[in-house]
Amino acid sequence: MSNLETKHLTKKFGNQVVLDDLNLNLKPNTIYALLGRNGAGKSTLLSILANHIFASSGSVVWQDKELTGRDHPVQEFYLMSEHNLFNKSDSLKNIIKKTTLLQGTFDQTLADEMLLAFKLDPKKKVSQLSTGYRTIFKTIVALSVPAEYVFLDEPILGLDANHRVMLYRYILKAYENRARTIVLSTHLVEEIANLVAHILILKDVKIIVDSDVEDLLAKSYQISGPKEEVQLYCQGLQILDDEQIGTLYTCYIYADLPANRIIPDSIVIKHSDLQDSFIKLTEEERELNV
Amino acid sequence: MSNLETKHLTKKFGNQVVLDDLNLNLKPNTIYALLGRNGAGKSTLLSILANHIFASSGSVVWQDKELTGRDHPVQEFYLMSEHNLFNKSDSLKNIIKKTTLLQGTFDQTLADEMLLAFKLDPKKKVSQLSTGYRTIFKTIVALSVPAEYVFLDEPILGLDANHRVMLYRYILKAYENRARTIVLSTHLVEEIANLVAHILILKDVKIIVDSDVEDLLAKSYQISGPKEEVQLYCQGLQILDDEQIGTLYTCYIYADLPANRIIPDSIVIKHSDLQDSFIKLTEEERELNV
């Protein structure tokens, strides 16, 4: 078992830097969420990790080897992405057959169970599927290949609420049947809080959070009360945002609470949930003044 | 001002009926949500209303005329859909120029304001945009054309939480600047409860709900208590689902509460929110037994 690492990974499109000096260390057999605002570079990062596109500088390292286009162990890495690499006039059955040829063995039992559960007829063509069903089919394929690292780029894009719940359960089931590393990107942050073990957040071309879910939530606080007392208590802590509603002032912080600081009776401290923490961590100033 | 109506509208793909005998009446200057599970036929319906594809039988009527391919008043109807009809190597600026030629005048003020708010550079090419940003751009174009009927097929597909909030506000702003009918489909049901006036729900090739939001919510109840008493109270009402958790039995109903029936002290009645009502209205049996 070997970690998948990036070393000083940088990606430019023309003059624009989209990923800057990323040093990541993805453990084997772990479910990760890759979060970030629209355009933060999530898809670009996953495409580089899966060797679909190349970094501008830096490297991706696995089993002490630099992974490059030529020597890439294709069967160990699989990317499910928005860009549909399937032939649209192909039947689902045929795509599974072709994928098996390329990726090695295929978990036909899981695929069949999922096709049935989602009422997907394998005789259908990709072109006959709706947006949501295309996503579902691509995810079924991604969970059924024998790869050690599976990258799911928005596996719930266009899925209705019931199908989202089903898909989360199948991701867990696939993982329990055979442990592997799964990195999934999504915009429905709260829904994956119980699914993933570790969170990566991309913002402004950098990784700003690389943390276990528990640690991230443990450090996410909302501190409310009279402004002066809240500000005094929060001095020196990482403040993500603050707001004043009437007489109530609230600071959103991402930090361990100082053990030696007394909490005055007038202030109330509570944990933020994952979605709130994410929004505060990634918000741009004055964005919502429509 | 004229309503847009469908009369006995039916659509088949091969032998498969995807829409069956729909009789809709879309009022001018009203914001609608079109809801339904994955594969329910939402995109097909919007494509027919916008004259991108044809019905198998039945008709679409506007201003006392049957709308057909030849005589279709293109500038009065606009569909923003998953299928990107733009040339991917075109710049956003160029696409706006071409759209203006086809659709007539263009609300350049709104488009500029939205491009700026979402930090979209009009010199960029469509191919350079991420999934979420493509959706945003397509919606900007759809809100800026002078059409009387604008169909937005999943205008928040791939959008992060902050961008979703911004987009809802711009949809309202566009509507307030110039009233028109907007029909939007989405899977994030709860988020649009305050945005739309009227709800259409497609299920099993039929429209099962065609109702003002207020009326729909007013008829959506969860009735909990001891099983026998709940069942007695709910007799004859439209029951969507029921569940037993420990000794607590809950019935989900979609009906007016009978005025002449006494509510026993042992049962509790509360309203469902829009997302819960939707899930209960469209759920398939035993779907979640993963």
Side-chain angles (χ1 to χ4, degrees):
Chain A
M1 289 297 170
S2 164
N3 292 11
L4 178 66
E5 293 175 72
T6 70
K7 293 189 191 292
H8 305 294
L9 184 82
T10 295
K11 179 70 183 177
K12 293 180 189 176
F13 289 121
N15 288 326
Q16 197 194 354
V17 177
V18 289
L19 298 172
D20 184 27
D21 195 31
L22 303 194
N23 294 288
L24 285 171
N25 190 347
L26 302 178
K27 286 170 283 185
N29 304 337
T30 306
I31 305 184
Y32 288 83
L34 175 62
L35 307 179
R37 300 286 310 275
N38 288 125
K42 303 182 294 297
S43 301
T44 303
L45 176 56
L46 295 180
S47 297
I48 293 173
L49 291 175
N51 199 44
H52 285 211
I53 62 173
F54 301 129
S56 304
S57 62
S59 58
V60 180
V61 176
W62 188 61
Q63 294 187 333
D64 302 322
K65 273 192 296 204
E66 207 170 298
L67 297 185
T68 60
R70 244 178 351 205
D71 303 326
H72 193 269
V74 173
Q75 302 192 346
E76 304 295 347
F77 298 86
Y78 190 85
L79 170 65
M80 169 266 177
S81 80
E82 189 231 351
H83 302 288
N84 204 326
L85 298 175
F86 307 144
N87 186 337
K88 281 194 183 174
S89 59
D90 238 349
S91 71
L92 309 189
K93 227 165 103 181
N94 260 334
I95 289 170
I96 290 177
K97 211 181 277 172
K98 289 179 182 170
T99 306
T100 307
L101 287 175
L102 195 67
Q103 294 295 134
T105 55
F106 194 87
D107 188 343
Q108 194 66 51
T109 312
L110 177 71
D112 286 344
E113 190 186 330
M114 289 183 74
L115 289 168
L116 194 67
F118 285 101
K119 304 202 176 99
L120 251 174
D121 178 357
K123 290 194 206 98
K124 276 202 171 169
K125 292 174 182 170
V126 176
S127 60
Q128 291 174 292
L129 303 185
S130 68
T131 313
Y133 268 115
R134 266 180 221 188
T135 305
I136 290 169
F137 178 66
K138 288 190 285 185
T139 309
I140 292 176
V141 172
L143 292 176
S144 303
V145 299
E148 284 298 319
Y149 283 79
V150 176
F151 307 107
L152 304 176
D153 196 4
E154 304 213 37
I156 52 147
L157 194 74
L159 263 63
D160 64 48
N162 312 46
H163 281 162
R164 294 202 298 273
V165 174
M166 282 171 72
L167 199 76
Y168 299 138
R169 294 189 190 173
Y170 273 112
I171 290 174
L172 270 184
K173 190 173 184 178
Y175 176 81
E176 281 161 10
N177 286 350
R178 181 176 72 75
R180 72 202 85 168
T181 289
I182 296 172
V183 185
L184 64 92
S185 78
T186 181
H187 288 300
L188 298 186
V189 172
E190 197 50 37
E191 293 189 351
I192 51 84
N194 294 318
L195 177 66
V196 309
H198 198 98
I199 304 263
L200 304 168
I201 301 182
L202 265 176
K203 188 193 177 190
D204 296 339
V205 309
K206 297 270 192 191
I207 291 282
I208 59 161
V209 170
D210 180 349
S211 166
D212 282 355
V213 176
E214 282 171 31
D215 295 343
L216 194 160
L217 290 175
K219 289 168 74 178
S220 300
Y221 293 102
Q222 304 174 17
I223 301 179
S224 305
K227 186 166 181 174
E228 277 176 30
E229 292 179 57
V230 171
Q231 285 185 327
L232 192 67
Y233 180 81
C234 294
Q235 235 166 27
L237 306 179
Q238 189 186 351
I239 297 172
L240 302 176
D241 197 10
D242 64 342
E243 64 186 22
Q244 179 90 44
I245 298 176
T247 59
L248 190 75
Y249 176 78
T250 301
C251 251
Y252 297 85
I253 68 161
Y254 182 62
D256 293 316
L257 294 185
N260 54 354
R261 217 172 274 180
I262 292 157
I263 303 171
D265 288 343
S266 60
I267 76 175
V268 175
I269 299 183
K270 47 176 205 171
H271 278 291
S272 304
D273 65 23
L274 188 59
Q275 172 119 344
D276 282 341
S277 309
F278 171 77
I279 289 176
K280 294 302 176 192
L281 281 160
T282 59
E283 203 166 33
E284 313 271 338
E285 273 182 61
R286 284 194 302 279
E287 194 172 34
L288 289 177
N289 291 338
V290 176
Chain B
M1 289 296 173
S2 165
N3 292 11
L4 178 67
E5 293 176 73
T6 69
K7 293 188 191 292
H8 305 296
L9 185 83
T10 296
K11 179 69 184 178
K12 293 180 189 177
F13 288 123
N15 288 325
Q16 197 194 354
V17 177
V18 289
L19 298 172
D20 185 26
D21 194 30
L22 303 194
N23 294 288
L24 286 170
N25 190 346
L26 302 178
K27 287 171 282 186
N29 305 337
T30 306
I31 306 184
Y32 288 83
L34 175 62
L35 307 178
R37 299 287 310 274
N38 287 127
K42 302 183 294 295
S43 301
T44 303
L45 175 56
L46 295 180
S47 298
I48 293 172
L49 291 176
N51 200 43
H52 285 212
I53 61 173
F54 301 128
S56 303
S57 62
S59 57
V60 179
V61 176
W62 188 61
Q63 294 186 334
D64 301 323
K65 273 192 297 202
E66 207 172 298
L67 298 185
T68 61
R70 246 180 347 207
D71 302 327
H72 193 269
V74 173
Q75 302 192 347
E76 303 296 346
F77 298 87
Y78 190 85
L79 170 66
M80 168 268 178
S81 80
E82 188 232 350
H83 302 288
N84 205 325
L85 298 175
F86 306 143
N87 186 338
K88 283 194 182 174
S89 59
D90 237 350
S91 71
L92 310 189
K93 227 165 102 181
N94 261 334
I95 288 170
I96 289 176
K97 211 180 278 172
K98 288 179 183 172
T99 305
T100 307
L101 287 176
L102 195 66
Q103 294 295 135
T105 55
F106 194 87
D107 189 342
Q108 194 65 51
T109 312
L110 177 71
D112 286 345
E113 190 186 330
M114 289 183 74
L115 288 167
L116 194 67
F118 286 100
K119 302 200 176 101
L120 252 172
D121 179 357
K123 291 196 206 95
K124 276 202 171 171
K125 293 174 182 170
V126 176
S127 61
Q128 291 173 292
L129 303 184
S130 68
T131 313
Y133 268 115
R134 266 179 222 191
T135 306
I136 290 169
F137 178 66
K138 288 190 285 185
T139 309
I140 292 176
V141 172
L143 292 176
S144 303
V145 298
E148 284 299 317
Y149 283 80
V150 176
F151 307 108
L152 304 175
D153 196 4
E154 304 211 35
I156 52 147
L157 194 74
L159 263 65
D160 65 48
N162 311 46
H163 280 163
R164 293 201 299 274
V165 173
M166 283 170 72
L167 199 75
Y168 299 138
R169 293 189 189 172
Y170 273 113
I171 290 174
L172 270 184
K173 190 173 184 177
Y175 175 80
E176 281 161 10
N177 286 349
R178 180 177 72 75
R180 72 202 87 168
T181 290
I182 297 172
V183 185
L184 64 91
S185 77
T186 180
H187 288 300
L188 298 187
V189 172
E190 198 50 36
E191 293 189 351
I192 50 84
N194 294 320
L195 177 65
V196 308
H198 199 98
I199 304 264
L200 303 168
I201 301 182
L202 265 176
K203 188 191 177 193
D204 296 340
V205 310
K206 297 273 190 190
I207 291 281
I208 59 161
V209 170
D210 180 348
S211 167
D212 282 354
V213 176
E214 281 171 33
D215 295 342
L216 194 159
L217 291 174
K219 289 168 74 177
S220 301
Y221 292 101
Q222 304 174 17
I223 301 178
S224 305
K227 186 167 181 174
E228 276 175 30
E229 293 180 54
V230 171
Q231 284 186 328
L232 191 66
Y233 181 80
C234 293
Q235 236 167 27
L237 305 180
Q238 189 185 351
I239 296 172
L240 302 175
D241 197 9
D242 64 342
E243 65 185 22
Q244 178 91 45
I245 298 175
T247 57
L248 190 74
Y249 176 77
T250 302
C251 251
Y252 297 85
I253 68 161
Y254 182 61
D256 293 315
L257 293 185
N260 54 354
R261 217 173 272 180
I262 292 156
I263 303 170
D265 288 343
S266 60
I267 76 175
V268 174
I269 299 183
K270 46 177 205 171
H271 279 290
S272 304
D273 65 23
L274 188 59
Q275 172 119 342
D276 282 342
S277 309
F278 171 77
I279 289 176
K280 294 302 177 191
L281 281 161
T282 59
E283 204 166 34
E284 313 271 337
E285 276 182 61
R286 284 194 304 279
E287 195 172 33
L288 289 177
N289 292 336
V290 175

